[in-house]
Amino acid sequence: MSWIPPLAALLGVLLGAVATALADRRRWRREAVARLLELRTTLYAEYLVAMEETGRDLLRVLRTTAVEEREAAAEAAFAAFNLGAARQRIHVLAPLDVVRAADEIFRRLRRACDYVAAADPGDTAGLLAMKNEVGVVRDRFQEAVRRDVRSLLAGSASWSA
């Protein structure tokens, strides 16, 4: 009796199993990257919205709140949009350059909160300087986010080939 036909059949079964396993692994990896991309982009958008709303609320406090009530109102405005909670999720899910950029936004908005608590609402130059500082760090965050998204998409494309 010849061993060649059963050996060929066994080899075919093994090759089929390996090919299926590799295809399953690629699909799993693609799906995992897609889930991570969705999670991160949602979180990044949430952080940017919280940052913008916090800044807008701080400006409202500066313009409309009496001096003696402004410190408490500024603190409430800083806490109102859960910027800190979104930042902590970024610490867990994002790469280091995005984390650093998010931390810088948080620190600048904290300084803006302190500024609002003590500033003269008529100090246009100081207000513009503060807004520019926040805008610069926002732009850095957005660029870090774009790099992260591009790298995830590039990694996903290489796994689908």
Side-chain angles (χ1 to χ4, degrees):
M1 177 167 139
S2 174
W3 289 96
I4 293 175
L7 190 57
L10 180 60
L11 185 60
V13 168
L14 287 174
L15 286 175
V18 168
T20 301
L22 287 174
D24 286 348
R25 178 157 171 73
R26 263 193 222 127
R27 185 177 59 250
W28 176 84
R29 174 72 174 150
R30 219 178 15 254
E31 290 170 358
V33 169
R35 282 190 307 272
L36 182 60
L37 179 63
E38 182 181 347
L39 204 72
R40 283 186 184 173
T41 54
T42 300
L43 177 57
Y44 296 157
E46 176 188 335
Y47 194 70
L48 284 167
V49 167
M51 183 214 76
E52 292 293 332
E53 294 295 329
T54 299
R56 189 173 297 120
D57 214 24
L58 285 170
L59 185 58
R60 180 195 54 76
V61 167
L62 178 65
R63 290 181 174 160
T64 64
T65 306
V67 175
E68 58 277 354
E69 299 168 4
R70 204 174 315 136
E71 184 176 354
E75 287 297 328
F78 184 77
F81 299 100
N82 295 321
L83 190 69
R87 178 175 158 245
Q88 292 306 316
R89 288 196 304 282
I90 286 174
H91 274 252
V92 172
L93 293 171
L96 189 56
D97 61 331
V98 175
V99 168
R100 286 181 177 149
D103 286 348
E104 189 61 27
I105 286 174
F106 190 84
R107 282 191 296 274
R108 293 297 166 108
L109 283 173
R110 170 46 69 196
R111 284 181 45 199
C113 179
D114 295 342
Y115 172 83
V116 165
D120 173 12
D123 180 16
T124 305
L127 179 60
L128 285 176
M130 184 60 61
K131 287 172 80 173
N132 286 337
E133 283 182 30
V134 172
V136 166
V137 295
R138 181 209 52 229
D139 293 347
R140 284 187 203 140
F141 177 77
Q142 288 173 328
E143 183 53 39
V145 163
R146 282 191 286 275
R147 280 192 307 272
D148 180 37
V149 168
R150 279 193 304 265
S151 77
L152 281 172
L153 289 172
S156 176
S158 70
W159 279 93
S160 62

